[in-house]
């Protein structure tokens, strides 16, 4: 496949950085909002035709260089045996695992619950443009565990999950191992069906001390990354809020690290092993600004790319729902038309 993203991931020199966005298939797009008038999130995710349409929408509507599977990180807890309800205020696990002293004993894995996602991948690959790779993903162990223990996503500090983690380390470790093993299964099935890149989303890496993350969670990240990379698939890890923990990243762990907006790209580059590529790290809120301001901020990224061609232009986290569509499109057009 002739793809600027895949070339960059392989370490080849390209005339500009590739660009795609986290949460690009969603509420920023007017065409997505039209679909949403007649279909719920769950319906769109579960129907191969609709999910493929939404996955590929940013290619036409924004002009990005890659598609990312339209799905949700909570499909793993659901397939591990947790009841999942999609409510108006967001997803909900009615029986959070923090209710139990031994959470793993209350899981009953049903990998077949993920089969519809592989049908979605098959449909995306049938429809996509030839130069557009498909990125697969899942939630990383800490983030997935937080939702499983807490039950809801409305409190981003996950107080019940944190209480359980700090007071039940041994039982937490069993749960982490179970999540890692199931994530490996899920990642490999996505790759088997044709995704060309895999990203692991650790959205809540900053919730706990780096030392604790290294002890309890990094072995699980290594396990998932090793399984993905053994297939020859590039592996991107996104640990949001990891701060000085970025210095632990070496080529043994991942191919690229996605950087949040709190960490300047130059600082991240100094911290992280030179053979590991970077992705990120535009603050999504910049896209509320005028296009003149956006252009002046993007201009500042050009020297970084000249010194560090192993870089993918992306956000430091996902699109916010009310970001103007025109500004998202402007970023892509600017990246493609400017002289890098």
């Amino acid at each position: 496949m002739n793809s600027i993203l895949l070339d960059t991931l392989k370490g080849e020199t390209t005339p500009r950085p590739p660009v795609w966005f986290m949460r690009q298939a969603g509420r920023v797009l007017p065409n997505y909002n039209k679909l949403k008038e007649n279909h719920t999130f769950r319906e769109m995710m579960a129907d191969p035709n609709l999910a493929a349409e939404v996955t590929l929408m940013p290619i036409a509507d924004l002009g990005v260089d890659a598609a990312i599977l339209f799905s949700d990180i909570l499909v793993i807890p659901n397939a591990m045996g947790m009841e999942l309800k999609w409510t108006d205020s967001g997803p909900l696990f009615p029986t959070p695992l923090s209710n139990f002293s031994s959470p793993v004993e209350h899981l009953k894995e049903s990998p077949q619950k993920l089969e519809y996602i592989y049908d979605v991948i098959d449909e995306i690959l049938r429809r996509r443009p030839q130069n557009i790779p498909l990125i697969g993903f899942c939630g990383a162990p800490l983030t997935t565990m937080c939702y499983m223990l807490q039950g809801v996503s409305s409190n981003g500090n996950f107080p019940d999950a944190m209480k359980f983690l700090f007071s039940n380390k041994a039982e937490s470790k069993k749960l982490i191992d179970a999540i890692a093993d199931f994530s490996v299964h899920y990642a490999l099935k996505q790759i088997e069906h044709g995704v060309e890149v895999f990203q692991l989303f650790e959205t809540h890496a900053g919730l706990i001390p780096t030392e604790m993350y290294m002890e309890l969670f990094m072995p699980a990240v290594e396990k998932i990354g090793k399984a993905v990379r053994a297939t020859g698939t590039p592996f991107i890890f996104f640990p949001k809020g990891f701060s000085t923990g970025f210095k632990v990243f070496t080529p043994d762990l991942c191919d690229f690290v996605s950087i949040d907006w709190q960490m300047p790209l130059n600082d991240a580059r100094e911290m992280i092993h030179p053979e590991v590529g970077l992705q990120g790290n535009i603050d999504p809120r910049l896209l509320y600004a005028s296009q003149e301001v956006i252009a002046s901020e993007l201009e500042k990224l050009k020297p970084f790319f000249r010194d560090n061609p192993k870089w993918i232009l992306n956000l430091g986290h996902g699109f916010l729902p009310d970001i103007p569509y025109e500004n998202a499109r402007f970023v892509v057009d600017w990246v493609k038309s400017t002289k890098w």
Side-chain angles (χ1 to χ4, degrees), residues 45-56:
M45 202 173 82
D47 181 300
N49 287 312
L50 289 172
E53 183 181 346
V54 174
T55 298
L56 295 173

Side-chain angles (χ1 to χ4, degrees), residues 35 39 43-57 70 116 119-124 126-127:
L35 265 187
H39 304 282
E43 284 168 353
M44 287 191 279
M45 202 173 82
D47 181 300
N49 287 312
L50 289 172
E53 183 181 346
V54 174
T55 298
L56 295 173
M57 210 177 264
F70 180 66
Y116 75 93
D119 294 338
V120 169
I121 293 170
D122 295 344
E123 185 61 29
I124 294 165
R126 272 194 289 272
R127 295 190 191 188

